[in-house]
Amino acid sequence: MLAPKLFEYDQDGIASYTPDQNTGTEPLSPADLIDFKLAYTRCPTGAIKRSDKPFAPEDTKA
């Protein structure tokens, strides 16, 4: 909810990162980085992962 441009919820309420289909391969713009950090730090379940390099395919599955 804090970054609707970056995350989308499926019918089960599972969020995924939309700019690159949850792969971690698209760099964030400075403006999007602010929204991402807000969502990342306030995620109540700690489910948002971050990395300086793309995730392995098995890491992107919920």
Coordinates of all heavy atoms in Angstrom, one line a residue:
M1 N 0.8 -1.2 0.0 CA 0.0 0.0 0.0 C 0.9 1.3 0.0 O 0.4 2.3 -0.5 CB -0.9 0.0 1.2 CG -2.0 -1.0 1.2 SD -3.0 -0.7 2.6 CE -3.7 -2.4 2.8
L2 N 2.1 1.2 0.5 CA 2.9 2.3 0.6 C 3.6 2.6 -0.7 O 4.1 3.7 -0.9 CB 3.9 2.2 1.7 CG 3.4 2.1 3.1 CD1 4.4 1.7 4.1 CD2 2.7 3.4 3.5
A3 N 3.7 1.6 -1.6 CA 4.4 1.8 -2.8 C 3.6 1.1 -4.0 O 4.0 0.1 -4.5 CB 5.8 1.3 -2.8
P4 N 2.4 1.6 -4.3 CA 1.5 0.9 -5.2 C 2.1 0.9 -6.6 O 1.7 0.0 -7.4 CB 0.2 1.7 -5.2 CG 0.6 3.1 -4.7 CD 1.8 2.8 -3.7
K5 N 3.0 1.8 -7.0 CA 3.6 1.7 -8.3 C 4.6 0.5 -8.4 O 4.9 0.0 -9.5 CB 4.4 3.0 -8.5 CG 5.0 3.1 -9.9 CD 5.7 4.5 -10.0 CE 6.6 4.5 -11.2 NZ 7.4 5.7 -11.3
L6 N 5.1 0.1 -7.2 CA 6.1 -1.0 -7.2 C 5.6 -2.3 -6.9 O 6.2 -3.3 -7.3 CB 7.2 -0.6 -6.2 CG 7.9 0.7 -6.4 CD1 8.9 1.0 -5.3 CD2 8.6 0.7 -7.8
F7 N 4.5 -2.4 -6.1 CA 4.0 -3.7 -5.6 C 2.6 -3.9 -6.0 O 1.8 -3.0 -6.0 CB 4.1 -3.8 -4.1 CG 5.6 -3.8 -3.6 CD1 6.1 -2.6 -3.2 CD2 6.3 -5.0 -3.7 CE1 7.5 -2.6 -2.8 CE2 7.6 -4.9 -3.2 CZ 8.2 -3.8 -2.8
E8 N 2.2 -5.1 -6.4 CA 0.9 -5.5 -6.7 C 0.5 -6.7 -5.9 O 1.3 -7.6 -5.7 CB 0.8 -5.9 -8.2 CG -0.5 -6.2 -8.8 CD -0.4 -6.4 -10.3 OE1 -0.4 -5.4 -11.0 OE2 -0.3 -7.5 -10.7
Y9 N -0.8 -6.8 -5.5 CA -1.3 -7.9 -4.7 C -2.1 -8.9 -5.5 O -2.9 -8.4 -6.4 CB -2.2 -7.4 -3.5 CG -1.4 -6.7 -2.5 CD1 -1.2 -5.3 -2.5 CD2 -0.9 -7.4 -1.4 CE1 -0.5 -4.6 -1.5 CE2 -0.2 -6.7 -0.4 CZ 0.0 -5.3 -0.5 OH 0.7 -4.7 0.5
D10 N -1.9 -10.2 -5.3 CA -2.7 -11.2 -6.0 C -4.0 -11.4 -5.2 O -4.2 -10.8 -4.2 CB -1.9 -12.4 -6.3 CG -1.5 -13.2 -5.1 OD1 -2.1 -13.0 -4.0 OD2 -0.7 -14.2 -5.2
Q11 N -4.8 -12.4 -5.7 CA -6.1 -12.7 -5.0 C -5.9 -13.2 -3.6 O -6.8 -13.2 -2.8 CB -6.9 -13.6 -5.9 CG -6.3 -15.0 -6.1 CD -5.3 -15.1 -7.2 OE1 -4.9 -14.1 -7.8 NE2 -4.9 -16.3 -7.5
D12 N -4.7 -13.8 -3.3 CA -4.5 -14.3 -2.0 C -3.8 -13.3 -1.1 O -3.5 -13.6 0.1 CB -3.6 -15.5 -2.1 CG -4.3 -16.7 -2.8 OD1 -5.5 -16.9 -2.6 OD2 -3.6 -17.4 -3.6
G13 N -3.6 -12.0 -1.6 CA -3.0 -11.0 -0.7 C -1.5 -11.0 -0.7 O -0.9 -10.4 0.1
I14 N -0.9 -11.8 -1.6 CA 0.6 -11.9 -1.8 C 1.0 -10.8 -2.7 O 0.5 -10.7 -3.8 CB 1.0 -13.3 -2.3 CG1 0.4 -14.4 -1.5 CG2 2.5 -13.3 -2.4 CD1 0.9 -14.4 -0.1
A15 N 2.0 -10.0 -2.2 CA 2.5 -8.9 -3.0 C 3.7 -9.3 -3.8 O 4.5 -10.2 -3.4 CB 2.9 -7.7 -2.1
S16 N 3.9 -8.8 -5.0 CA 5.1 -9.0 -5.8 C 5.5 -7.7 -6.4 O 4.7 -6.7 -6.6 CB 4.8 -10.0 -6.9 OG 3.8 -9.5 -7.8
Y17 N 6.8 -7.6 -6.7 CA 7.4 -6.4 -7.2 C 7.1 -6.4 -8.7 O 7.5 -7.2 -9.5 CB 8.9 -6.4 -6.9 CG 9.7 -5.2 -7.4 CD1 9.5 -4.0 -6.8 CD2 10.5 -5.3 -8.5 CE1 10.2 -2.9 -7.2 CE2 11.2 -4.2 -8.9 CZ 11.1 -3.0 -8.3 OH 11.8 -2.0 -8.7
T18 N 6.4 -5.3 -9.2 CA 5.9 -5.3 -10.6 C 6.8 -4.9 -11.6 O 6.7 -5.3 -12.8 CB 4.6 -4.6 -10.7 OG1 4.8 -3.2 -10.2 CG2 3.5 -5.2 -9.9
P19 N 7.8 -3.9 -11.4 CA 8.6 -3.5 -12.5 C 9.4 -4.5 -13.2 O 9.7 -4.4 -14.4 CB 9.6 -2.5 -11.8 CG 8.8 -1.9 -10.7 CD 8.0 -3.1 -10.1
D20 N 9.8 -5.6 -12.5 CA 10.5 -6.7 -13.2 C 10.0 -8.1 -12.9 O 10.7 -9.0 -12.9 CB 12.0 -6.6 -12.9 CG 12.3 -6.7 -11.5 OD1 11.4 -7.1 -10.7 OD2 13.5 -6.5 -11.1
Q21 N 8.7 -8.2 -12.6 CA 8.1 -9.5 -12.3 C 8.8 -10.2 -11.2 O 8.9 -11.4 -11.2 CB 8.0 -10.4 -13.6 CG 7.0 -9.9 -14.6 CD 7.5 -8.7 -15.4 OE1 8.7 -8.6 -15.8 NE2 6.7 -7.6 -15.5
N22 N 9.2 -9.4 -10.2 CA 9.7 -10.0 -8.9 C 11.1 -10.7 -9.1 O 11.5 -11.5 -8.3 CB 8.7 -11.0 -8.3 CG 8.5 -10.8 -6.9 OD1 8.6 -9.7 -6.4 ND2 8.2 -11.9 -6.2
T23 N 11.9 -10.3 -10.1 CA 13.2 -10.9 -10.3 C 14.4 -10.1 -9.7 O 15.4 -10.6 -9.5 CB 13.5 -11.1 -11.8 OG1 13.5 -9.8 -12.4 CG2 12.5 -11.9 -12.4
G24 N 14.1 -8.8 -9.4 CA 15.2 -8.0 -8.8 C 16.2 -7.6 -9.9 O 17.4 -7.3 -9.6
T25 N 15.8 -7.6 -11.1 CA 16.8 -7.2 -12.2 C 16.7 -5.8 -12.7 O 17.5 -5.3 -13.4 CB 16.5 -8.2 -13.4 OG1 15.2 -8.1 -13.8 CG2 16.9 -9.6 -13.1
E26 N 15.6 -5.1 -12.3 CA 15.5 -3.7 -12.7 C 15.9 -2.7 -11.6 O 15.4 -2.8 -10.5 CB 14.0 -3.4 -13.1 CG 13.5 -4.0 -14.3 CD 14.1 -3.3 -15.6 OE1 14.2 -2.1 -15.6 OE2 14.4 -4.1 -16.5
P27 N 16.9 -1.8 -11.9 CA 17.2 -0.9 -10.9 C 16.1 0.1 -10.6 O 15.3 0.4 -11.5 CB 18.5 -0.2 -11.5 CG 18.5 -0.5 -12.9 CD 17.6 -1.7 -13.1
L28 N 16.1 0.6 -9.4 CA 15.1 1.6 -9.1 C 15.5 3.0 -9.4 O 16.7 3.4 -9.2 CB 14.8 1.5 -7.6 CG 14.1 0.3 -7.1 CD1 14.2 0.2 -5.6 CD2 12.7 0.3 -7.5
S29 N 14.6 3.9 -9.8 CA 14.9 5.3 -9.9 C 15.0 5.9 -8.5 O 14.6 5.3 -7.6 CB 13.8 6.0 -10.7 OG 12.6 6.1 -9.9
P30 N 15.7 7.0 -8.4 CA 15.8 7.6 -7.1 C 14.4 7.9 -6.4 O 14.3 7.6 -5.2 CB 16.5 9.0 -7.3 CG 17.3 8.7 -8.6 CD 16.5 7.8 -9.4
A31 N 13.4 8.3 -7.1 CA 12.1 8.5 -6.6 C 11.5 7.2 -6.1 O 10.9 7.1 -5.0 CB 11.2 9.2 -7.6
D32 N 11.6 6.1 -6.9 CA 11.1 4.8 -6.6 C 11.8 4.2 -5.4 O 11.2 3.5 -4.6 CB 11.1 3.8 -7.8 CG 10.1 4.2 -8.8 OD1 9.1 4.9 -8.5 OD2 10.2 3.7 -10.0
L33 N 13.1 4.5 -5.3 CA 13.9 4.0 -4.2 C 13.4 4.5 -2.8 O 13.3 3.8 -1.9 CB 15.4 4.4 -4.3 CG 16.3 3.8 -3.3 CD1 16.3 2.3 -3.3 CD2 17.7 4.3 -3.6
I34 N 12.9 5.8 -2.8 CA 12.3 6.3 -1.6 C 11.1 5.5 -1.2 O 10.9 5.1 -0.1 CB 12.0 7.8 -1.8 CG1 13.3 8.6 -1.9 CG2 11.1 8.3 -0.6 CD1 13.1 10.0 -2.4
D35 N 10.2 5.3 -2.2 CA 9.0 4.5 -1.9 C 9.3 3.1 -1.5 O 8.7 2.5 -0.6 CB 8.1 4.5 -3.2 CG 7.4 5.8 -3.4 OD1 7.4 6.7 -2.5 OD2 6.9 6.0 -4.6
F36 N 10.3 2.5 -2.2 CA 10.7 1.1 -1.8 C 11.2 1.0 -0.4 O 10.8 0.1 0.4 CB 11.8 0.6 -2.8 CG 12.3 -0.8 -2.4 CD1 11.6 -1.9 -2.8 CD2 13.4 -1.0 -1.6 CE1 12.0 -3.2 -2.4 CE2 13.8 -2.2 -1.2 CZ 13.1 -3.3 -1.6
K37 N 12.0 2.0 0.0 CA 12.6 1.9 1.4 C 11.5 2.1 2.4 O 11.5 1.5 3.4 CB 13.6 3.0 1.5 CG 14.9 2.7 0.9 CD 16.0 3.8 1.1 CE 17.3 3.4 0.5 NZ 18.3 4.5 0.7
L38 N 10.5 2.9 2.1 CA 9.4 3.1 3.0 C 8.6 1.8 3.2 O 8.3 1.4 4.3 CB 8.4 4.2 2.5 CG 7.3 4.6 3.4 CD1 7.7 5.1 4.7 CD2 6.4 5.6 2.7
A39 N 8.3 1.2 2.0 CA 7.6 -0.1 2.1 C 8.4 -1.2 2.8 O 7.9 -2.0 3.6 CB 7.2 -0.6 0.7
Y40 N 9.7 -1.3 2.5 CA 10.6 -2.3 3.0 C 10.7 -2.1 4.6 O 10.6 -3.1 5.3 CB 12.0 -2.1 2.4 CG 13.0 -3.0 3.0 CD1 13.1 -4.3 2.6 CD2 14.0 -2.5 3.9 CE1 14.1 -5.2 3.1 CE2 14.9 -3.4 4.4 CZ 15.0 -4.7 4.0 OH 15.9 -5.5 4.5
T41 N 10.9 -0.9 5.0 CA 11.1 -0.7 6.5 C 9.8 -0.9 7.2 O 9.8 -1.2 8.4 CB 11.7 0.6 6.8 OG1 10.9 1.7 6.3 CG2 13.1 0.7 6.2
R42 N 8.6 -0.6 6.6 CA 7.4 -0.7 7.3 C 6.6 -2.0 7.1 O 5.5 -2.2 7.6 CB 6.5 0.5 6.9 CG 7.0 1.8 7.5 CD 6.1 2.9 7.3 NE 6.6 4.1 7.8 CZ 6.0 5.3 7.7 NH1 4.8 5.3 7.1 NH2 6.6 6.4 8.1
C43 N 7.1 -2.9 6.3 CA 6.5 -4.2 6.0 C 6.3 -5.0 7.3 O 7.3 -5.3 8.0 CB 7.3 -5.0 5.0 SG 6.5 -6.6 4.7
P44 N 5.0 -5.2 7.8 CA 4.8 -5.8 9.1 C 5.3 -7.3 9.2 O 5.5 -7.8 10.3 CB 3.3 -5.7 9.3 CG 2.8 -5.6 7.9 CD 3.8 -4.9 7.1
T45 N 5.4 -7.9 8.0 CA 5.9 -9.3 8.1 C 7.3 -9.5 7.7 O 7.8 -10.7 7.8 CB 5.0 -10.2 7.1 OG1 5.2 -9.7 5.8 CG2 3.5 -10.1 7.5
G46 N 8.0 -8.5 7.3 CA 9.4 -8.6 6.8 C 9.5 -9.4 5.6 O 10.6 -10.0 5.3
A47 N 8.5 -9.5 4.8 CA 8.5 -10.3 3.6 C 9.2 -9.7 2.4 O 9.5 -10.4 1.4 CB 7.0 -10.6 3.2
I48 N 9.5 -8.4 2.4 CA 10.1 -7.7 1.3 C 11.6 -8.0 1.4 O 12.2 -7.7 2.4 CB 9.8 -6.2 1.2 CG1 8.3 -6.0 1.1 CG2 10.6 -5.6 0.1 CD1 7.9 -4.5 1.2
K49 N 12.2 -8.6 0.3 CA 13.6 -8.9 0.3 C 14.3 -7.8 -0.6 O 13.7 -7.2 -1.5 CB 13.9 -10.2 -0.4 CG 13.4 -11.4 0.3 CD 13.8 -12.6 -0.4 CE 13.2 -13.9 0.1 NZ 13.6 -15.0 -0.7
R50 N 15.5 -7.5 -0.3 CA 16.3 -6.6 -1.1 C 17.7 -7.1 -1.3 O 18.2 -7.9 -0.5 CB 16.3 -5.2 -0.5 CG 17.1 -5.1 0.8 CD 17.1 -3.7 1.3 NE 17.9 -3.6 2.5 CZ 18.5 -2.6 3.0 NH1 18.4 -1.5 2.3 NH2 19.3 -2.6 4.0
S51 N 18.3 -6.7 -2.4 CA 19.6 -7.2 -2.7 C 20.3 -6.2 -3.7 O 19.6 -5.5 -4.4 CB 19.5 -8.6 -3.4 OG 20.8 -9.1 -3.7
D52 N 21.6 -6.3 -3.7 CA 22.3 -5.4 -4.6 C 22.5 -6.1 -6.0 O 23.0 -5.5 -6.9 CB 23.7 -5.1 -4.1 CG 23.6 -4.2 -2.9 OD1 22.6 -3.4 -2.7 OD2 24.5 -4.2 -2.0
K53 N 22.1 -7.4 -6.1 CA 22.2 -8.1 -7.4 C 20.9 -8.9 -7.5 O 20.2 -9.1 -6.6 CB 23.4 -9.0 -7.4 CG 23.6 -9.9 -6.2 CD 24.9 -10.6 -6.2 CE 25.0 -11.3 -4.9 NZ 26.4 -11.7 -4.6
P54 N 20.6 -9.3 -8.8 CA 19.4 -10.1 -9.0 C 19.3 -11.3 -8.1 O 20.3 -12.0 -7.8 CB 19.5 -10.5 -10.5 CG 20.4 -9.5 -11.1 CD 21.4 -9.1 -10.0
F55 N 18.1 -11.7 -7.8 CA 17.8 -12.9 -7.0 C 17.9 -14.1 -7.9 O 17.6 -14.1 -9.1 CB 16.4 -12.9 -6.4 CG 16.2 -11.8 -5.4 CD1 15.4 -10.7 -5.6 CD2 16.9 -11.9 -4.2 CE1 15.2 -9.7 -4.7 CE2 16.7 -10.9 -3.2 CZ 15.9 -9.8 -3.5
A56 N 18.3 -15.3 -7.3 CA 18.3 -16.5 -8.1 C 16.8 -16.9 -8.3 O 15.9 -16.5 -7.5 CB 18.9 -17.6 -7.2
P57 N 16.4 -17.6 -9.4 CA 15.0 -17.8 -9.7 C 14.3 -18.5 -8.5 O 13.1 -18.1 -8.3 CB 15.1 -18.8 -10.9 CG 16.4 -18.4 -11.5 CD 17.3 -18.1 -10.4
E58 N 14.9 -19.4 -7.8 CA 14.2 -20.0 -6.7 C 13.9 -19.0 -5.5 O 13.0 -19.2 -4.7 CB 14.9 -21.2 -6.1 CG 16.3 -20.9 -5.6 CD 17.4 -20.9 -6.6 OE1 17.2 -21.1 -7.8 OE2 18.6 -20.7 -6.1
D59 N 14.6 -17.9 -5.4 CA 14.4 -16.9 -4.4 C 13.2 -16.0 -4.7 O 12.8 -15.3 -3.8 CB 15.7 -16.0 -4.2 CG 16.8 -16.8 -3.7 OD1 16.6 -17.9 -3.0 OD2 18.0 -16.3 -3.8
T60 N 12.7 -16.0 -5.9 CA 11.7 -15.1 -6.2 C 10.3 -15.7 -6.0 O 9.3 -15.0 -6.2 CB 11.8 -14.6 -7.7 OG1 11.7 -15.7 -8.6 CG2 13.1 -13.9 -7.9
K61 N 10.2 -17.0 -5.7 CA 8.9 -17.6 -5.5 C 8.4 -17.3 -4.1 O 9.2 -17.3 -3.1 CB 9.1 -19.1 -5.7 CG 9.5 -19.5 -7.1 CD 9.7 -20.9 -7.3 CE 10.1 -21.2 -8.7 NZ 10.5 -22.6 -8.9
A62 N 7.1 -17.1 -4.0 CA 6.5 -16.8 -2.7 C 6.2 -18.1 -2.0 O 6.0 -19.2 -2.6 CB 5.3 -16.0 -2.9

